[in-house]
């Protein structure tokens, strides 16, 4: 039986494994795509429950809870399954608001990514909630973390603080010499003080890297939409361990306390159905690259020759480096 279950893991969509050293309990949770399948569960000496559930909303469910309903059977105790409905707290929920994202024009070499959110109202009134944006950038564009240390500058962009930046981020290297895939950073946004369901914006200043020359003189790059969410502190009032589907350390959630709940703001594309923001970066044309290299070589050579000429002129006038000439000048001075 164990071998057959292990073979079935090859078709699972995901597999979560955890180990509790205190209770010495190992838990493996596989998830398979939706399809028809036969279920065979052998009975054991302990209590064995088998249930088939679908998502439902119980009447008394809280806002932060998910509900399921279906049939539950206890092997060895009941011959027929019983209808069951229950709910459990969910760490990740969907808020009622949405957002869009695009670069302000003209973009230049220091573009600004504007986030436009449909509502400034927090999802929970009795919890400390703050909006955040977790931005993932390719190596062609980056954020200067030192720029986000100015509180006045952040306030002008409707930002509160930069909570995390992946390192290292080279601020000078061009894209074609950068070995890392890109960078990530977490921003806390500053919504309007009114806290009402009204549209508002936040701006994220970025910087482009130098790119390789192209035939057209411009290179398109795409930046994926950030993950925008409200992070709410449940203050230990919610026990997420009762959720059988709860998952931790998937990414940005590891930057928050374990009692934080996340209310995700749905992305709404500006054009089409792609949740990316595109920008055209001006670069050197291929046909001019050879002339640039030649011109640079000539300029450096002329500059070096000019420096040598000036040094030679100083030497001929002052006689530096000739002991006899220096001695004669000392005698004349005396």
């Amino acid at each position: 039986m164990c071998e057959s279950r292990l073979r079935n893991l090859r078709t699972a969509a995901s597999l979560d494994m955890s180990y509790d050293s205190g209770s010495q309990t190992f838990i493996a949770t596989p998830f398979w795509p939706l399809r028809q399948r036969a279920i065979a569960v052998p009975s054991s000496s302990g209590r064995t429950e088998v249930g088939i559930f679908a998502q439902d909303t119980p009447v008394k469910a809280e806002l932060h809870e998910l509900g399921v309903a279906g049939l539950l059977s206890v092997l060895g105790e009941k011959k027929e399954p019983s209808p069951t409905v229950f709910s459990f707290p969910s760490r990740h929920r969907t808020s009622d608001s949405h957002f869009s994202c695009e670069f302000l024009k003209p973009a230049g070499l220091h573009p600004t990514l504007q986030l436009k959110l449909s509502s400034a109202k927090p999802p929970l009134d009795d919890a400390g909630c703050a909006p955040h944006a977790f931005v993932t950038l390719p190596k062609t564009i980056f954020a200067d973390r030192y720029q986000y240390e100015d509180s006045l500058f952040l306030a002008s962009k409707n930002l509160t603080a930069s909570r995390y930046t992946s390192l290292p981020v080279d601020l000078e290297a061009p894209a074609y010499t950068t070995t890392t895939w890109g960078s990530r950073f977490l921003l806390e946004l500053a919504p309007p003080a009114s806290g009402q369901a009204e549209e508002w914006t936040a701006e994220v200043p970025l910087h482009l890297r130098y790119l390789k020359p192209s035939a057209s003189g411009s290179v398109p790059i795409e930046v994926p939409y950030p993950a925008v969410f409200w992070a709410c502190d449940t203050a230990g009032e919610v026990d997420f361990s009762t959720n059988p589907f709860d998952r931790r350390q998937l990414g940005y959630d590891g930057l928050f306390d374990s009692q934080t709940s996340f209310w995700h703001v749905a992305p709404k594309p500006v054009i089409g159905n792609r949740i990316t923001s595109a920008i055209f970066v001006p670069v050197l044309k291929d046909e001019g690259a050879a002339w640039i290299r030649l011109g640079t070589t000539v300029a450096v050579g002329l500059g070096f020759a000019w420096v040598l000429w000036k040094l030679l002129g100083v030497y001929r006038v002052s006689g530096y480096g000739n002991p006899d000439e220096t001695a004669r000048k000392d005698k004349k001075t005396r």
Side-chain angles (χ1 to χ4, degrees):
M1 180 62 68
C2 290
E3 292 182 359
S4 62
R5 290 186 177 183
L6 290 175
R7 284 194 296 268
N8 289 335
L9 294 179
R10 294 182 299 179
T11 60
S14 64
L15 176 62
D16 293 342
M17 293 181 291
S18 62
Y19 177 73
D20 188 347
S21 59
S23 60
Q24 296 186 349
T25 303
F26 174 78
I27 301 176
T29 307
F31 292 92
W32 284 274
L34 180 62
R35 67 181 179 88
Q36 185 176 356
R37 63 171 63 246
I39 301 177
V41 181
S43 61
S44 61
S45 58
R47 179 184 176 90
T48 302
E49 296 180 352
V50 179
I52 301 177
F53 299 97
Q55 186 173 351
D56 197 357
T57 304
V59 178
K60 297 182 179 180
E62 302 289 341
L63 288 176
H64 61 274
E65 291 182 331
L66 290 177
V68 293
L71 300 176
L72 178 66
S73 178
V74 181
L75 299 185
E77 296 183 7
K78 297 182 178 180
K79 295 183 179 180
E80 296 183 358
S82 303
T84 305
V85 57
F86 63 92
S87 60
F88 44 81
S90 177
R91 189 183 306 275
H92 296 271
R93 297 299 305 267
T94 301
S95 68
D96 297 330
S97 57
H98 61 269
F99 79 99
S100 59
C101 180
E102 62 180 340
F103 285 103
L104 296 180
K105 298 179 180 180
L109 294 177
H110 305 280
T112 297
L113 193 64
Q114 185 185 69
L115 306 178
K116 185 177 295 184
L117 291 86
S118 63
S119 175
K121 184 178 181 180
L124 299 176
D125 297 329
D126 56 349
C129 298
H132 291 75
F134 187 72
V135 187
T136 302
L137 300 174
K139 66 179 181 180
T140 52
I141 191 169
F142 67 95
D144 185 358
R145 62 190 181 97
Y146 301 104
Q147 189 177 18
Y148 290 89
E149 295 178 355
D150 187 345
S151 58
L152 293 178
F153 173 79
L154 293 175
S156 66
K157 304 296 182 182
N158 282 344
L159 304 176
T160 300
S162 175
R163 300 303 185 189
Y164 166 80
T165 302
S166 61
L167 297 175
V169 178
D170 195 322
L171 304 182
E172 301 295 337
Y176 46 84
T177 63
T178 303
T179 57
T180 56
W181 60 268
S183 60
R184 300 169 298 169
F185 62 101
L186 176 67
L187 291 175
E188 181 178 343
L189 311 181
S194 61
Q196 299 299 319
E198 57 185 15
E199 188 176 85
W200 61 287
T201 61
E203 297 180 357
V204 182
L206 301 172
H207 303 270
L208 289 168
R209 296 190 184 276
Y210 294 108
L211 306 180
K212 288 184 178 181
S214 70
S216 62
S218 64
V219 175
I221 66 171
E222 285 187 322
V223 174
Y225 271 35
V228 179
F229 53 88
W230 290 81
C232 301
D233 185 12
T234 59
E237 298 178 357
V238 180
D239 184 11
F240 294 110
S241 63
T242 60
N243 185 341
F245 309 108
D246 187 48
R247 304 171 71 184
R248 287 276 294 154
Q249 305 297 332
L250 298 179
Y252 54 82
D253 60 333
L255 304 175
F256 295 86
D257 185 80
S258 60
Q259 290 298 316
T260 302
S261 62
F262 303 92
W263 295 76
H264 297 270
V265 182
K268 184 179 180 180
V270 177
I271 300 176
N273 57 3
R274 290 180 60 84
I275 50 175
T276 59
S277 300
I279 185 176
F280 283 87
V281 181
V283 296
L284 179 66
K285 289 188 176 181
D286 289 331
E287 59 187 20
W291 289 104
I292 293 295
R293 287 193 290 269
L294 178 61
T296 302
T297 303
V298 172
V300 172
L302 291 176
F304 184 69
W306 181 82
V307 172
L308 289 180
W309 175 257
K310 289 298 182 181
L311 292 176
L312 181 61
V314 173
Y315 172 78
R316 294 176 59 185
V317 172
S318 60
Y320 287 120
N322 190 336
D324 297 335
E325 183 67 22
T326 303
R328 285 195 295 270
K329 288 186 176 182
D330 289 342
K331 290 181 180 178
K332 290 181 181 180
T333 303
R334 295 174 184 173

